[in-house]
């Protein structure tokens, strides 16, 4: 009898081990099925983007607050976080034939603010002027946009971490030189025209 009880206990132990293993394998199977599903969706989305299909919604751009000193509108940060569809270069290489109008709106704002600036500006200063968060992580992400504009000759970096418009070239701003802001007010750290 003891031998039968020992064998029953061993069989029950093995059954419990197998059930635990089945549960573990089921969880692993579910996880892998989820990964496969996500990869299939990603492949379909990439195919739509690369083929020019309109099934993927395009992000809406938020209107830019005017340079009239009005407070930035809610959502100003969203327009700076819009990414590029795969294979599309949002910031073209600068050439004399191009105006800032070819840039995405967020990049246009950066170029225009630096055109109006008296001195080169740092990334955190630009974030403040544009109404964006000045948290360190946000500023670092914004700095990459500035570096991209420098790499493609829309801006210059006269010193480490300082950004300025291309040598006062009016073609960069996409607008003729102005005597000053439309309503006569100045933004903090930003001025138009020659320095007094």
């Amino acid at each position: 009898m003891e031998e039968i009880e020992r064998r029953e206990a061993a069989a029950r132990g093995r059954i419990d081990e197998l059930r635990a293993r089945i549960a573990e394998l089921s969880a692993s199977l579910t996880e892998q099925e989820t990964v496969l599903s996500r990869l299939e969706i990603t492949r379909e989305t990439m195919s739509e983007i690369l083929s020019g299909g309109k099934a993927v919604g395009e992000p809406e751009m938020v209107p830019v607050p005017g340079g009239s000193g009005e407070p930035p509108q809610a959502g100003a940060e969203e327009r700076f976080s819009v990414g590029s569809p795969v294979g599309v270069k949002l910031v073209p290489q600068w050439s004399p034939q191009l105006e800032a109008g070819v840039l995405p709106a967020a990049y246009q704002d950066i170029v225009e603010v630096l055109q109006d600036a008296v001195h080169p500006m740092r990334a955190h200063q630009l974030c403040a002027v544009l109404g964006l968060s000045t948290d360190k992580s946000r500023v670092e992400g914004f700095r990459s946009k500035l570096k991209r504009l420098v790499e493609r000759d829309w801006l210059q970096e006269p010193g480490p971490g300082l950004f300025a418009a291309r040598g006062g070239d009016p073609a960069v701003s996409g607008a003729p030189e102005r005597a000053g802001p439309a309503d006569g007010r100045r933004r903090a750290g930003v001025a138009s025209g020659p320095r007094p």
Side-chain angles (χ1 to χ4, degrees), residues 119-181:
H119 300 289
M121 296 177 76
R122 298 200 177 275
H124 68 89
Q125 294 168 324
L126 280 163
C127 284
V129 169
L130 291 167
L132 303 173
S133 171
T134 54
D135 292 343
K136 191 171 187 170
S137 62
R138 299 283 181 141
V139 171
E140 289 305 314
F142 183 74
R143 188 182 322 277
S144 69
K145 289 183 180 350
L146 295 171
K147 293 284 190 178
R148 185 172 300 119
L149 286 167
V150 169
E151 288 170 4
R152 303 210 176 124
D153 293 329
W154 287 93
L155 299 178
Q156 59 183 341
E157 191 173 8
L162 291 171
F163 299 92
R166 285 178 46 85
D169 190 342
V172 174
S173 71
E177 298 243 357
R178 297 179 292 223

Side-chain angles (χ1 to χ4, degrees), residues 8-74:
E8 277 182 5
R12 283 193 176 102
R14 186 159 167 102
I15 288 171
D16 289 342
E17 288 175 14
L18 290 173
R19 283 191 178 140
R21 182 77 175 132
I22 288 172
E24 183 181 311
L25 289 172
S26 293
S28 181
L29 176 63
T30 302
E31 181 181 328
Q32 291 305 312
E33 286 173 339
T34 302
V35 168
L36 177 61
S37 173
R38 291 175 67 193
L39 289 170
E40 288 172 344
I41 292 169
T42 301
R43 181 178 35 79
E44 291 170 5
T45 303
M46 294 301 295
S47 295
E48 288 174 6
I49 289 172
L50 294 175
S51 69
K54 295 295 181 184
V56 179
E58 294 185 16
E60 280 191 40
M61 294 302 212
V62 179
V64 180
S68 62
E70 66 184 74
Q73 295 175 354

Side-chain angles (χ1 to χ4, degrees), residues 1-10:
M1 280 301 208
E2 287 181 25
E3 181 65 22
I4 293 176
E5 288 176 8
R6 186 183 62 76
R7 286 185 181 187
E8 277 182 5

